[in-house]
């Protein structure tokens, strides 16, 4: 285990040449958008609608191509390449490794989409289905599962092979996109303005995305507290919840991956599993199992159709599924480099195949189970009229639906509290991973030997929190959310560059021969 000792550069902890410009860009976006929120949001939404109309096909093929690249790297000769010393054991057990990737890749967002996303699809279903019909209800949960499936996690992980290779095999000191692309563009570009530009794009997308995630994740807890204590959701309550969160993920960031993220992630897997079991026993368990079975059938039957759904023959406007899929892929792209860099950091001792397939399978399976348990509970409450689901989502904030559904369970107080705790831990690990990655990315220390400075992690956590609170107070989260989605456009280009860079570096080093586990080499010689 590497400790937080100082690396080669003891004088300067952070590379201000990329951090300061990135922060200034975020501030430059946030201030005018906050002042002129209505006009800014309208302009940005119009821009996004144009992108949906013109480039829907592009985002769909982008996700498919990344999934194809992931399967190619996994099952080709490159899949057996070890990220690090072939003789060393992986840094984490498979359960710990998968738990960290799930906490990072899924986070509290699955609890929001799992509980409420099906309502949006049921109200505006694809394929000509009748709104709120039985078929539309099944499609709602099937689509919620699709949102957390192979294409999205391929988007998250496919820059990780290049980042893991430069860090653990080539032992490059800086864990940056520009460094991964050195083999493509050369030293002059990497160390000059071009490399700094790539790194700034990454930081802008992550800082804005982190602020939005904190802002959007907080209502999951505040609405539960509002229901629990019969109090109003105010900015004061939001600020209290946010500050508690900051303390949690600052402490976790301070103690590091081993004592912080790993322990929280594994503990939350057990807690979330226990909560799901509670819903099955105390709630409509048989219905959820039956609904899960039919939803999986609906997903498998329609997976290809949803994956390539562009509504080319519908000229009156995009449905929820079509527009949300494009936004979801675009928004996922903004987080792609963060997920990949963090996955690369914790994948020491893992093969390329193990890293990619674990990220494709573990979060997907967990997300499908969570979606079915939470979504199945909501659909049952709608069908039995226990909760006026569609009245709530049409007349109130979507988040208001979550505590109403949970309150319909026996021991509703326990359900509300545990749900809030699981959501808080999920968001804590997500933001902890984010601050860790940003700190590692901007650090001047040798990341192949050291961990990022604790001070830098705490400072990064503080910056994200202040930015999120200011934007929540002045109402600037909505435009920044759209901006963070639009930031996915340049990230897409960078992703494909890193895939090419990973292949090129492994080809240059003949890594499938020289950097594989010993038994693999002996097997290849025998054959």
């Amino acid at each position: 285990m590497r400790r937080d000792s100082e690396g080669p550069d003891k004088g300067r902890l952070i590379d201000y040449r990329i951090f300061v410009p990135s922060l200034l860009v975020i501030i430059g976006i946030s201030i005018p958008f906050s002042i002129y929120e209505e006009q800014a949001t309208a302009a940005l939404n119009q821009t996004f609608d144009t992108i949906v109309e013109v480039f829907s096909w592009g985002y769909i093929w982008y996700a498919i191509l990344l999934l194809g690249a992931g399967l190619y790297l996994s099952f080709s000769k490159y899949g057996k390449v070890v990220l690090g010393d072939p003789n060393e054991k992986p840094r984490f057990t498979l359960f710990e490794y998968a738990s960290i990737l799930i906490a990072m890749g899924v986070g509290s967002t699955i609890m929001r989409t799992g509980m409420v996303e099906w309502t949006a699809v049921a109200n505006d279903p694809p394929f000509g289905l009748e709104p709120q019909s039985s078929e539309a209800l099944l499609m709602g949960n099937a689509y919620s599962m699709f949102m957390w499936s192979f294409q999205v996690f391929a988007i998250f992980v496919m820059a990780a092979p290049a980042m893991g290779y430069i860090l653990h095999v080539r032992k490059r000191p800086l864990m940056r996109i520009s460094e991964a692309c050195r083999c493509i563009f050369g030293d002059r570009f990497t160390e000059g303005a071009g490399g700094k530009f790539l790194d700034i794009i990454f930081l802008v997308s992550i800082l804005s995305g982190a602020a939005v995630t904190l802002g959007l994740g907080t209502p999951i807890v505040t609405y539960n507290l509002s229901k629990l204590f019969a109090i109003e959701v105010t900015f004061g309550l939001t600020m209290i919840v946010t500050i508690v969160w900051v303390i949690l993920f600052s402490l976790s960031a301070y103690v590091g991956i081993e004592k912080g993220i790993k322990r929280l992630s594994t503990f939350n897997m057990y807690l979330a599993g226990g909560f799901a079991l509670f819903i099955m026993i105390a709630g409509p368990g048989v219905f959820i199992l039956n609904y899960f079975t039919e939803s999986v059938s609906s997903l498998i039957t329609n997976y290809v159709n949803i994956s390539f759904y562009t509504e080319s023959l519908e000229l009156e406007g995009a449905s929820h599924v079509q527009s949300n899929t494009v936004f979801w892929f675009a928004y996922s792209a903004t987080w792609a480099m963060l997920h990949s860099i963090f996955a690369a950091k914790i994948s020491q001792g893992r093969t390329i195949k193990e890293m990619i397939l674990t990220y494709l399978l573990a979060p997907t399976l967990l997300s499908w189970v969570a979606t079915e348990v939470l979504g199945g509970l909501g659909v049952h409450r709608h069908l039995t009229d226990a909760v006026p689901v569609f009245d709530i989502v049409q007349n109130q904030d979507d988040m208001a639906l979550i505590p109403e559904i949970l309150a319909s369970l026996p021991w509703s107080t326990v359900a509300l509290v545990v749900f809030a705790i699981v959501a808080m831990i999920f968001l804590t690990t997500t933001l902890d991973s984010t601050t860790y990655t940003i700190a590692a990315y901007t650090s001047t220390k040798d990341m192949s030997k050291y961990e990022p400075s604790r001070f830098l992690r705490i400072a990064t956590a503080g910056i994200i929190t202040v930015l999120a609170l200011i934007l929540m107070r002045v109402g600037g989260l909505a435009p920044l959310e759209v901006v963070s989605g639009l930031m996915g456009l340049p990230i897409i280009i960078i992703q494909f560059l890193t895939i090419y860079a990973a292949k090129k570096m492994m080809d240059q080093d003949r890594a499938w021969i020289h950097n594989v586990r010993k038994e693999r080499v002996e097997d290849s010689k025998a054959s």
Side-chain angles (χ1 to χ4, degrees):
M1 173 182 170
R2 296 183 178 94
R3 298 181 179 178
D4 266 316
S5 56
E6 290 296 321
D9 186 350
K10 297 182 180 180
R12 189 179 58 172
L13 292 177
I14 187 170
D15 189 341
Y16 294 103
R17 295 172 298 175
I18 62 173
F19 188 80
V20 172
S22 304
L23 192 59
L24 291 176
V25 169
I26 293 294
I27 295 172
I29 292 172
S30 303
I31 292 177
F33 282 1
S34 299
I35 296 174
Y36 305 102
E37 182 194 359
E38 186 175 344
Q39 299 93 319
T41 303
L44 288 169
N45 283 332
Q46 184 176 0
T47 302
F48 179 72
D49 290 343
T50 301
I51 290 174
V52 170
E53 181 179 353
V54 177
F55 293 110
S56 288
W57 60 272
Y59 278 104
I60 287 171
W61 280 108
Y62 150 68
I64 293 292
L65 287 173
L66 284 185
L67 179 58
L71 295 176
Y72 168 71
L73 287 182
S74 296
F75 293 103
S76 66
K77 61 187 178 183
Y78 304 107
K80 61 185 179 182
V81 174
V82 177
L83 298 173
D85 184 346
N87 298 315
E88 69 181 348
K89 291 184 178 180
R91 184 174 179 182
F92 302 102
T93 67
L94 184 59
F95 178 75
E96 292 169 346
Y97 183 62
S99 297
I100 295 171
L101 293 181
I102 288 169
M104 175 65 176
V106 175
S108 63
T109 309
I110 185 63
M111 305 182 74
R112 174 169 56 87
T113 60
M115 192 75 86
V116 304
E117 177 63 27
W118 64 272
T119 63
V121 179
N123 270 327
D124 185 16
F127 312 132
L129 300 177
E130 181 182 349
Q132 298 185 26
S133 63
S134 298
E135 294 81 4
L137 292 175
L138 283 173
M139 180 57 66
N141 245 34
Y143 180 73
S144 297
M145 294 165 68
F146 174 82
M147 286 176 62
W148 298 98
S149 55
F150 308 114
Q151 283 100 310
V152 166
F153 294 114
I155 290 173
F156 284 167
V157 77
M158 282 315 297
M163 301 306 299
Y165 197 82
I166 64 168
L167 185 66
H168 301 303
V169 180
R170 289 199 167 182
K171 304 293 184 181
R172 301 300 301 175
L174 299 179
M175 193 173 66
R176 296 180 186 171
I177 306 302
S178 57
E179 190 62 46
C181 294
R182 183 183 290 271
C183 67
I184 300 176
F185 298 116
D187 296 340
R188 184 174 180 181
F189 176 92
T190 301
E191 295 166 9
K196 297 296 181 291
F197 178 71
L198 291 180
D199 294 331
I200 289 170
I201 288 176
F202 165 81
L203 286 175
V204 169
S205 67
I206 296 309
L207 285 170
S208 60
V212 170
T213 298
L214 183 58
L216 296 180
T218 304
I220 298 176
V221 177
T222 55
Y223 274 96
N224 272 24
L225 293 177
S226 173
K227 181 72 175 179
L228 196 60
F229 298 107
I231 56 177
E232 190 177 344
V233 177
T234 63
F235 179 73
L237 178 61
T238 298
M239 189 164 71
I240 291 172
V241 171
T242 304
I243 290 172
V244 172
W245 243 324
V246 172
I247 294 172
L248 286 176
F249 78 77
S250 294
L251 288 173
S252 180
Y254 182 80
V255 298
I257 292 179
E258 299 283 350
K259 296 180 179 179
I261 298 174
K262 185 186 81 173
R263 290 183 179 178
L264 280 175
S265 299
T266 52
F267 170 75
N268 215 32
M269 288 300 101
Y270 291 117
L271 184 60
F275 182 65
L277 189 62
F278 165 77
I279 291 178
M280 296 293 292
I281 296 173
V286 174
F287 172 84
I288 289 174
L289 290 173
N290 288 329
Y291 185 63
F292 172 77
T293 304
E294 286 196 83
S295 295
V296 170
S297 173
S298 180
L299 175 64
I300 293 174
T301 303
N302 293 286
Y303 197 96
V304 173
N305 291 336
I306 297 174
S307 296
F308 291 94
Y309 191 54
T310 63
E311 290 186 314
S312 59
L313 302 181
E314 296 291 335
L315 303 179
E316 297 181 359
S319 68
H320 173 79
V321 167
Q322 200 265 335
S323 61
N324 188 70
T325 299
V326 175
F327 177 79
W328 191 247
F329 288 164
Y331 188 62
S332 297
T334 66
W335 284 94
M337 306 311 295
L338 171 69
H339 286 268
S340 287
I341 290 172
F342 187 77
K345 182 65 176 175
I346 67 169
S347 294
Q348 186 175 7
R350 293 284 172 189
T351 63
I352 298 265
K353 181 178 182 178
E354 288 170 346
M355 178 176 65
I356 293 175
L357 293 187
T358 302
Y359 218 137
L360 288 182
L361 296 176
T364 294
L365 294 176
L366 183 281
S367 300
W368 287 9
V369 171
T371 294
E372 287 310 317
V373 171
L374 297 175
L377 176 62
V379 170
H380 180 270
R381 290 334 193 212
H382 160 66
L383 293 175
T384 58
D385 294 323
V387 178
V389 171
F390 290 106
D391 288 341
I392 293 173
V393 297
Q394 289 169 4
N395 299 317
Q396 301 180 49
D397 191 298
D398 287 352
M399 294 298 100
L401 176 62
I402 295 176
E404 294 298 328
I405 292 175
L406 294 175
S408 69
L409 288 166
W411 304 296
S412 58
T413 299
V414 175
L416 288 164
V417 170
V418 174
F419 188 91
I421 292 173
V422 172
M424 287 193 74
I425 295 176
F426 263 137
L427 189 55
T428 297
T429 52
T430 298
L431 292 174
D432 186 356
S433 307
T434 302
T435 56
Y436 179 93
T437 305
I438 294 173
Y441 198 88
T442 57
S443 177
T444 59
K445 295 165 62 175
D446 188 340
M447 287 296 102
S448 69
K449 297 179 180 179
Y450 304 98
E451 299 292 344
S453 160
R454 287 171 171 167
F455 169 78
L456 188 52
R457 294 180 222 168
I458 301 300
T460 303
I463 290 170
I464 292 172
T465 304
V466 171
L467 180 61
L469 283 173
I470 291 174
L471 291 173
M472 281 188 279
R473 181 60 176 170
V474 300
L477 271 176
L480 191 60
E481 181 182 6
V482 181
V483 168
S484 65
L486 296 176
M487 283 299 300
L489 288 170
I491 294 295
I492 290 171
I493 299 172
I494 295 174
Q495 276 180 289
F496 284 110
L497 285 174
T498 59
I499 294 172
Y500 173 67
K503 182 181 182 301
K504 185 172 182 179
M505 286 187 289
M506 288 187 284
D507 285 340
Q508 289 173 341
D509 299 343
R510 297 178 65 82
W512 63 89
I513 296 176
H514 303 299
N515 219 77
V516 297
R517 289 170 183 157
K518 186 176 181 181
E519 60 269 21
R520 296 290 184 91
V521 176
E522 292 174 349
D523 291 343
S524 64
K525 287 180 179 179
S527 61

